[in-house]
Amino acid sequence: MTAHTTAHSGTEIATHAAIPPPFPPPLRTTSRSTREADVWTELRAEAEAALIEEPLYAGLIQATVLDQRSLPQALAYRLAHRLGDGDLSRLTMRDLCLSAFEADPHAGAHAVRDLIAIRERDPTCRRYLDPFLFYKGFAALEGYRVAHWLWHQGRATLALHVQSRISEVFGCDIHPAARIGSGVFIDHATGVVIGETTVVADDVSILQSVTLGGNGKESGDRHPKIARGVLLSVGAKVLGNIRVGEGAKVAAAAVVLHEVPAHTTVAGVPARVVSRLSASEAPALSMDQSFGFGDGI
């Protein structure tokens, strides 16, 4: 069910592999442990504190976090609570999620890196518990991972059901065949659309109302390829089988119809290069959406 990164022409792009390679290091050293056990311990401690902070929510916190034995089990329970419905019960949804997570030895690592991405990049995030319980972007991404696993098991009907529920509940539409790496931050999630043949590498940040779509009725490989460390700002539209290079920044409301060079900022309709970025800059991590009109073309 997972997407992982391999080097391609100097830039890492997510690819599907039967035996995934080790995760590459984050774009910068994080001050937080990336060990699943450490994050799970901290999440449980936050949940225990929240029981005192808000007794009215104690039952859900107890059932979702403190009664679970691991991060993947807690995540399966929470996703089932939010995505289960009359067509597919919460219990059945939990079993599907657990099957997906247990089949993938990297499922916990994906969730950890995605949680850390939120802590590192979202100034409103004060603890792991908040995105775990409430953030639509995190839930949509982890739900997509379940749908992605189902898709590659040949269970397209269930995969599309999960996609539909994610769209209905979170307002975020990710095709289960898309390939998405880890350490990905989908901020707010509302209005995000990611098409079938899209590839998103590790450490990418995607803000609300972003579309990674096709540019017509063509079939086959027809969606964007987003390299590592890219920032896709509010309302950006990237259309067609085009590449956005590593460490690039797509400005708010830009419409991208052509390749984006690595370490550049593009803006406008249609988008054009408006500034160059140093190779050391990491726009997906800084979340800086400003841009300057430098030596653009």
Side-chain angles (χ1 to χ4, degrees):
M1 65 173 267
T2 57
H4 304 279
T5 55
T6 56
H8 177 71
S9 301
T11 303
E12 292 178 334
I13 286 287
T15 58
H16 187 81
I19 302 176
F23 286 109
L27 289 176
R28 64 183 169 92
T29 302
T30 175
S31 60
R32 298 179 172 87
S33 172
T34 58
R35 292 182 65 247
E36 182 180 335
D38 292 341
V39 173
W40 175 235
T41 297
E42 187 169 348
L43 180 63
R44 287 180 61 86
E46 293 169 355
E48 289 171 350
L51 293 179
I52 301 171
E53 173 191 310
E54 186 46 79
L56 289 177
Y57 217 68
L60 187 141
I61 292 171
Q62 182 73 40
T64 302
V65 179
L66 299 177
D67 287 347
Q68 305 302 320
R69 292 180 295 175
S70 68
L71 181 62
Q73 286 190 359
L75 184 55
Y77 184 96
R78 185 57 177 156
L79 288 174
H81 189 84
R82 304 185 79 179
L83 295 176
D85 66 346
D87 294 332
L88 211 61
S89 71
R90 289 178 177 176
L91 181 60
T92 302
M93 183 67 74
R94 186 190 67 178
D95 290 344
L96 278 178
C97 293
L98 277 175
S99 295
F101 296 153
E102 289 172 354
D104 177 17
H106 293 289
H110 275 302
V112 164
R113 289 203 64 195
D114 296 339
L115 279 170
I116 290 173
I118 299 171
R119 285 288 300 272
E120 292 284 336
R121 303 176 209 172
D122 187 347
T124 70
C125 183
R126 59 192 179 96
R127 56 187 180 181
Y128 290 124
L129 187 64
D130 295 340
F132 190 86
L133 290 179
F134 305 120
Y135 284 22
K136 295 191 301 178
F138 177 72
L141 180 58
E142 306 315 310
Y144 145 81
R145 299 195 190 284
V146 175
H148 185 71
W149 177 77
L150 288 166
W151 185 267
H152 285 282
Q153 295 297 307
R155 304 172 73 180
T157 300
L158 277 180
L160 292 172
H161 173 81
V162 175
Q163 175 195 5
S164 176
R165 287 294 294 155
I166 291 169
S167 179
E168 291 169 7
V169 175
F170 306 126
C172 178
D173 197 345
I174 307 174
H175 195 282
R179 292 177 285 167
I180 302 178
S182 64
V184 172
F185 176 33
I186 302 180
D187 193 17
H188 301 293
T190 302
V192 169
V193 176
I194 299 178
E196 178 185 14
T197 59
T198 301
V199 179
V200 177
D202 291 350
D203 302 310
V204 169
S205 291
I206 302 172
L207 280 78
Q208 66 266 33
S209 299
V210 164
T211 297
L212 303 177
N215 61 3
K217 286 187 173 182
E218 76 277 16
S219 59
D221 193 356
R222 60 196 185 279
H223 294 102
K225 310 298 178 281
I226 309 300
R228 192 180 187 199
V230 168
L231 172 62
L232 301 172
S233 300
V234 177
K237 315 299 178 188
V238 186
L239 305 178
N241 184 13
I242 58 176
R243 179 183 178 86
V244 178
E246 182 172 358
K249 182 191 300 187
V250 180
V255 177
V256 182
L257 302 175
H258 303 286
E259 304 276 321
V260 176
H263 308 295
T264 62
T265 300
V266 297
V269 181
R272 64 183 182 88
V273 174
V274 296
S275 65
R276 311 284 180 178
L277 304 172
S278 71
S280 62
E281 290 186 62
L285 305 185
S286 68
M287 300 294 291
D288 180 4
Q289 298 184 65
S290 63
F291 59 93
F293 291 89
D295 54 343
I297 51 178

